[in-house]
């Protein structure tokens, strides 16, 4: 992984729809909006002492997308030596888009998918601004 | 005789987001929890578990709750199954 890529670290929660929204938004960013410039790093690789993952996260900036206020993604990235450039909360974006009520965990409903796209577009804009600042 | 709580089986699925296989393990876990063995199984997010968290997820629950509320109000509900083990496509 090159140092210029931005890591997207989503929530790994399995009990709430907001965790699924966080993951879905990370997929949209890395596969469709900013492919090649962003990459997903699984949170579970950082918690045990996976030296490769920790080394990667320390060499790049990260955007975390958390599904609840426990903020596991932001906390774990920060505690393992990574730089959290931006810490997003699905709930905050949902509050600004109340018409998009996510439901379902295995399969998000349409509102959940739309909310994920809204978050993904926000993340993509943040990636752009980070790159602009880096090049300035 | 007091009735003791039934022991449940804990399912811990892969949390790898960067591979499709990780998604499949999560779908399999949710399927067991919601459809195949509801009431007999629980799960927990792997990073939270590794980090020492105690938030057990008994069933589908899209409402954010504190750890203590999750433990006390372990309501089990079924969610329609039959989801395909693939990533949903973006809307655009």
């Amino acid at each position: 992984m090159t140092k210029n890529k931005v890591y997207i670290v989503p929530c790994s929660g399995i009990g709430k729809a907001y965790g699924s929204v966080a993951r879905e938004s990370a997929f949209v960013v890395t596969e469709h909006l900013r492919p090649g410039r962003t990459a997903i790093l699984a949170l579970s690789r950082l918690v045990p002492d996976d030296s490769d993952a920790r080394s990667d996260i320390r060499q790049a900036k990260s955007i975390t997308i958390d599904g609840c206020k426990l903020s596991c993604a932001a906390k774990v990235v920060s505690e393992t030596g990574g730089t959290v450039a931006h810490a997003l909360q699905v709930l905050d974006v949902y509050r600004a888009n109340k018409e998009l009520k996510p439901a379902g965990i295995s399969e998000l409903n349409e509102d959940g998918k739309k909310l994920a796209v809204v978050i993904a577009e926000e993340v993509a804009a943040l990636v752009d601004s980070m790159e602009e600042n880096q090049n300035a | 005789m007091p009735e003791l709580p039934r022991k449940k089986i804990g399912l811990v699925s892969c949390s790898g987001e960067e591979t499709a296989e990780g998604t499949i393990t999560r779908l399999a876990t949710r399927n067991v929890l919601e459809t195949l063995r509801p009431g007999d199984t629980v799960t927990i997010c792997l990073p939270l578990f590794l980090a020492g968290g105690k938030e057990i997820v008994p069933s589908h629950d899209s409402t954010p709750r504190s750890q203590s509320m999750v433990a006390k109000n372990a309501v089990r509900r079924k969610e329609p199954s039959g989801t395909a083990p693939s990533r949903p496509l973006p809307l655009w």
Side-chain angles (χ1 to χ4, degrees), chain B residues 10-27:
Chain B
L11 305 176
V12 183
S13 51
C14 169
S15 288
E17 281 92 21
E18 70 266 62
T19 62
E21 289 83 351
T23 303
I24 290 171
T25 66
R26 279 191 296 277
L27 288 171

Side-chain angles (χ1 to χ4, degrees), chain B residues 5-65:
Chain B
R6 287 175 58 198
K7 284 190 176 178
K8 297 182 178 65
I9 306 293
L11 305 176
V12 183
S13 51
C14 169
S15 288
E17 281 92 21
E18 70 266 62
T19 62
E21 289 83 351
T23 303
I24 290 171
T25 66
R26 279 191 296 277
L27 288 171
T29 297
R30 294 300 314 185
N31 198 22
V32 174
L33 250 72
E34 296 161 6
T35 309
L36 300 177
R37 295 294 183 273
D40 295 330
T41 50
V42 292
T43 190
I44 188 170
C45 159
L46 183 57
L48 185 61
F49 176 66
L50 291 171
K54 294 176 181 173
E55 184 174 0
I56 300 293
V57 177
S59 67
H60 166 69
D61 190 347
S62 60
T63 308
R65 298 179 182 185

Side-chain angles (χ1 to χ4, degrees), chain A residues 11-12 14-16 18 23-24 27-28 31-32 40 42-45 47-48 70 105-107 110 113-114 117, chain B residues 13 15-18 26-27 30 43 45 47 50-51 55 57 60-62 64 79 83 87-88 90-92:
Chain A
C11 165
S12 287
I14 195 169
K16 303 179 182 83
Y18 298 108
R23 274 191 298 280
E24 179 64 22
F27 294 145
V28 174
E31 295 176 5
H32 300 280
I40 290 182
L43 196 54
S44 52
R45 288 187 60 208
V47 180
L70 290 176
I105 298 171
S106 304
E107 177 85 34
E110 288 302 303
K113 292 175 186 174
K114 288 178 183 173
V117 171
Chain B
S13 51
S15 288
E17 281 92 21
E18 70 266 62
R26 279 191 296 277
L27 288 171
R30 294 300 314 185
T43 190
C45 159
L50 291 171
E55 184 174 0
V57 177
H60 166 69
D61 190 347
S62 60
E79 185 184 285
T83 55
R87 283 178 198 165
L91 297 169
W92 31 267

